[in-house]
Amino acid sequence: MDISVNYLAVFLSAVASLAVGSIWYSDSFLGQSWRKLVGITKGDYKKTMVSSNIKAFAMALLTAFILFHVTFLSNQHFNNDWLSSALSSAFMMWMGFIVPSHITHDAFEQRPFNLTAISLGHHLLEFLAMALVIGLIGK
C-alpha cells in the first residue's frame, strides 16, 4: 500500500501546532499559570523561546507526518471521509499515547494536577488543529 503524503498539509499542520501553543501559553490565557506551576520566570522563558520553538516545530513536523499516515490508514480501513479520519485519529492518538504518558510522568514527578491538565488541554487542541489542517487539505 502506497501512502502519498501531502507535505504542504504536514507543514501547515506543524504551523497550526505552534499557533495553538502560542495562544495556549500566552500571558492572556494560561502562560502565567503554567510558568508559576513549572517554576520559571517570564525572563527565563524568553531566554529559551527561540530554541524551544525550533525544537517544538521539528517535533510538530514529526507528529503531523505520523498523524497523516495514521489518518491514511484509518481512512482506508474504515472508509470514512478524510476529515473524520483525521479528527478521530488525532483524538485516539492523544487519548492513547499523550494522556497516559503525561499522567504517568507527572505522577512520578509529583507535579500538580493543574499542570497536567494544562499540558493535556494544549496537546488535545494541538492534535485537533493539526487534524483539521490534514483533514481539510491533506488528501
Side-chain angles (χ1 to χ4, degrees):
M1 174 182 340
D2 290 329
I3 299 175
S4 178
V5 176
N6 182 330
Y7 289 101
L8 177 61
V10 169
F11 177 80
L12 292 176
S13 291
V15 171
S17 169
L18 288 187
V20 166
S22 68
I23 294 167
W24 191 259
Y25 291 108
S26 69
D27 282 348
S28 57
F29 199 58
L30 293 171
Q32 292 178 29
S33 299
W34 171 78
R35 283 194 313 273
K36 183 178 179 183
L37 288 165
V38 295
I40 61 173
T41 67
K42 192 171 186 173
D44 293 335
Y45 177 71
K46 284 186 176 188
K47 287 178 192 173
T48 62
M49 187 179 291
V50 172
S51 64
S52 295
N53 277 310
I54 290 169
K55 291 173 188 172
F57 188 70
M59 294 302 99
L61 284 170
L62 176 61
T63 301
F65 184 76
I66 299 301
L67 178 57
F68 192 97
H69 278 76
V70 173
T71 298
F72 179 88
L73 295 172
S74 174
N75 179 260
Q76 293 296 303
H77 182 74
F78 295 111
N79 203 25
N80 292 330
D81 64 273
W82 189 255
L83 179 59
S84 296
S85 295
L87 289 169
S88 63
S89 295
F91 180 78
M92 295 301 282
M93 289 170 59
W94 175 79
M95 182 61 78
F97 299 108
I98 301 298
V99 171
S101 64
H102 259 306
I103 290 175
T104 302
H105 174 267
D106 288 2
F108 278 102
E109 288 195 358
Q110 300 177 9
R111 293 182 176 221
F113 183 74
N114 289 353
L115 180 56
T116 304
I118 288 171
S119 294
L120 290 176
H122 165 253
H123 285 298
L124 176 60
L125 292 179
E126 170 190 39
F127 272 49
L128 293 177
M130 294 171 96
L132 276 174
V133 172
I134 288 171
L136 292 172
I137 68 168
K139 193 166 186 184

